Amino acid sequence: MPYKSRLSSRIYGKSVTHDVKTKWAVKTLFAILILCFFNIFLSACSQNFISLRVYSDFTIIPSNTKAARPESLLLNNEIMLSYLQLLPRRTFRLIRFDKDLKFKGHQDLDSGENQPTDIRVCQGSNNSIVYVFETINFPKRGPNHLYIASYEVRDSIIVNSNKPKMIGVSKPFIIPRLLPKPGDVILDDSPPYFYNDQIIVINRKWESAIIQVQFFSRDLKLIKKYNLDLRKFIPKSYIGKCCLIDMNERPYLVAMVYDGPPNGYNQSYSALFEFDTKITSVENYQVLSKTSDYGGIVNCARYNSGILYVASDILMPQSKHTGIIEAFSVKQGFQKVASIKVNEGVMVDNHFSFEILDKKIIVFYPIPGEEIRLKIISIN
């Protein structure tokens, strides 16, 4: 019989005829390939890309003042904006907005001694605001101090429920004029986080992949403190500025990771570290986005409707930066689904913050001239 009409072979000593079996196998393989391509097509069509568009942008602080470092918090459908007032008097201030961004009042925040610099906030127990801030003693070059405090928010007033308590001391540290030694604990941009009825504060170590974790009670008493080593996940890299976030009742650290010392021009990328529920170890690690060949800063992050939003300052040559918000789909393995530029300028105007309210991203950001502006970005 001609070869083209019948193909035979011998398997385990038996003759097997392949006429029908071969045709059936080819058809089956063809059907599987068609199904695979169809699934890939459906997956591509169902990508959860979103659109971000700016539709409002205006200054929000009084014209006779100078300000920097806005830090926002969404609390009971209101936005609390903390920031560093530079002039006429250097202090931290708080502005309160309702859900329609109408002004509800403002007041000074207790700013400790010496010169207040960085401030980070989180929601505490019930209706409270927890804030952690750093002070410096310049030009005397005295030590830097880190404080923690809390305010209770009532209908029309905000009450200082726990006055500032010093929780850290370090040698003088001012970028780029006065840098610490590798491994030194640094106090700038120390993010607080309320989880399991405790307040957690993270401090970085300079040129290191080790972070210091402090736990405090509601009344700001120290419960425990230890170091958490992340070198298993980033063995030859360093942790930069970071923030803590809750996604699906799990604690995460969103951080900038440097391939080299963070005081120079080195490649960096944003990354996500998933903690265990006691925040004693890291269980998973995920690279989010390469930011720049010159470094970057993670300012804050928010989780909303299956999307992780991360605000970063991307460092550029000549001490310039560009502020961006990137959106990552959690269901799609943290695939980037959107990004938008917020601001640009010199590094003294870095650090911005945002909240998500009614399909809008409410951004508070600094501009050259030491003003703070509010930008509204629609989510579609």
Side-chain angles (χ1 to χ4, degrees):
M1 185 173 292
Y3 175 80
K4 63 180 180 181
S5 64
R6 183 172 182 175
L7 176 65
S8 298
S9 65
R10 186 166 298 275
I11 303 177
Y12 300 116
K14 296 181 180 180
S15 178
V16 181
T17 302
H18 290 278
D19 287 48
V20 177
K21 292 183 178 179
T22 301
K23 292 179 181 179
W24 179 86
V26 170
K27 289 181 179 180
T28 302
L29 179 60
F30 183 74
I32 292 173
L33 290 174
I34 292 295
L35 183 61
C36 289
F37 282 119
F38 183 69
N39 287 335
I40 292 172
F41 174 76
L42 286 180
S43 177
C45 291
S46 63
Q47 295 291 337
N48 189 26
F49 289 100
I50 60 177
S51 173
L52 304 179
R53 182 177 61 87
V54 176
Y55 70 86
S56 186
D57 194 335
F58 52 91
T59 300
I60 59 167
I61 63 169
S63 58
N64 61 340
T65 64
K66 300 291 183 181
R69 300 195 58 82
E71 179 80 358
S72 60
L73 174 66
L74 183 63
L75 183 66
N76 295 332
N77 236 20
E78 294 184 355
I79 294 181
M80 309 293 171
L81 176 67
S82 305
Y83 66 93
L84 174 62
Q85 177 181 277
L86 300 171
L87 292 174
R89 182 172 62 90
R90 191 179 182 106
T91 186
F92 293 124
R93 289 184 63 79
L94 183 141
I95 300 178
R96 189 173 178 179
F97 299 93
D98 68 10
K99 64 178 182 177
D100 298 315
L101 298 179
K102 293 181 180 178
F103 178 79
K104 290 192 65 175
H106 62 88
Q107 68 184 70
D108 289 350
L109 298 178
D110 200 325
S111 305
E113 301 177 357
N114 298 320
Q115 293 177 268
T117 55
D118 303 333
I119 182 170
R120 303 292 294 269
V121 304
C122 74
Q123 180 176 347
S125 60
N126 301 323
N127 295 326
S128 67
I129 301 171
V130 175
Y131 70 106
V132 174
F133 65 94
E134 182 192 23
T135 64
I136 61 174
N137 191 358
F138 189 81
K140 295 181 180 180
R141 296 195 175 184
N144 293 15
H145 294 92
L146 187 68
Y147 294 88
I148 187 171
S150 66
Y151 279 76
E152 180 185 351
V153 180
R154 299 178 182 174
D155 289 340
S156 58
I157 59 173
I158 299 177
V159 180
N160 189 188
S161 54
N162 283 294
K163 289 186 175 297
K165 176 181 179 181
M166 189 173 63
I167 61 172
V169 182
S170 75
K171 295 178 181 178
F173 168 46
I174 303 175
I175 296 177
R177 288 175 285 184
L178 197 60
L179 298 178
K181 296 178 181 179
D184 283 353
V185 174
I186 55 178
L187 307 180
D188 74 319
D189 278 292
S190 301
Y193 173 62
F194 189 73
Y195 181 74
N196 280 348
D197 206 36
Q198 297 177 337
I199 302 165
I200 295 96
V201 178
I202 299 289
N203 292 108
R204 298 171 290 131
K205 292 194 174 186
W206 189 250
E207 294 188 12
S208 174
I210 299 174
I211 57 175
Q212 182 187 81
V213 187
Q214 297 188 76
F215 290 77
F216 297 90
S217 63
R218 291 188 182 193
D219 57 357
L220 309 186
K221 293 181 180 178
L222 180 64
I223 300 173
K224 57 184 175 180
K225 177 171 64 174
Y226 56 82
N227 292 330
L228 188 56
D229 194 339
L230 305 179
R231 285 177 292 186
K232 173 183 175 181
F233 301 93
I234 49 172
K236 297 181 180 180
S237 301
Y238 307 127
I239 287 288
K241 292 185 179 180
C242 56
C243 67
L244 292 158
I245 189 172
D246 187 329
M247 287 194 293
N248 299 321
E249 299 182 354
R250 294 283 295 187
Y252 291 82
L253 179 76
V254 186
M256 194 63 65
V257 177
Y258 284 81
D259 287 341
N263 59 321
Y265 287 147
N266 290 289
Q267 290 188 353
S268 64
Y269 56 91
S270 56
L272 187 69
F273 299 84
E274 181 182 358
F275 291 123
D276 66 339
T277 55
K278 295 183 179 180
I279 312 186
T280 56
S281 65
V282 173
E283 297 186 344
N284 291 298
Y285 167 71
Q286 172 80 41
V287 174
L288 293 175
S289 176
K290 178 185 175 184
T291 56
S292 170
D293 290 336
Y294 300 94
I297 297 169
V298 167
N299 295 311
C300 67
R302 303 289 184 260
Y303 176 68
N304 183 271
S305 300
I307 303 294
L308 172 64
Y309 298 85
V310 179
S312 303
D313 277 310
I314 311 305
L315 309 188
M316 308 296 288
Q318 299 177 343
S319 297
K320 295 182 179 180
H321 79 98
T322 298
I324 63 170
I325 294 176
E326 297 174 292
F328 304 91
S329 171
V330 176
K331 291 183 179 179
Q332 297 175 33
F334 295 98
Q335 177 186 350
K336 186 191 296 187
V337 293
S339 65
I340 190 168
K341 184 171 78 171
V342 171
N343 67 334
E344 58 186 1
V346 294
M347 273 310 296
V348 294
D349 301 314
N350 78 87
H351 191 85
F352 67 95
S353 187
F354 71 93
E355 300 301 327
I356 299 175
L357 183 64
D358 297 332
K359 284 288 186 178
K360 297 187 293 289
I361 303 176
I362 314 300
V363 188
F364 301 92
Y365 69 97
I367 62 171
E370 296 173 330
E371 296 181 4
I372 294 176
R373 293 181 64 85
L374 188 155
K375 180 174 291 187
I376 303 175
I377 301 172
S378 64
I379 305 174
N380 299 307

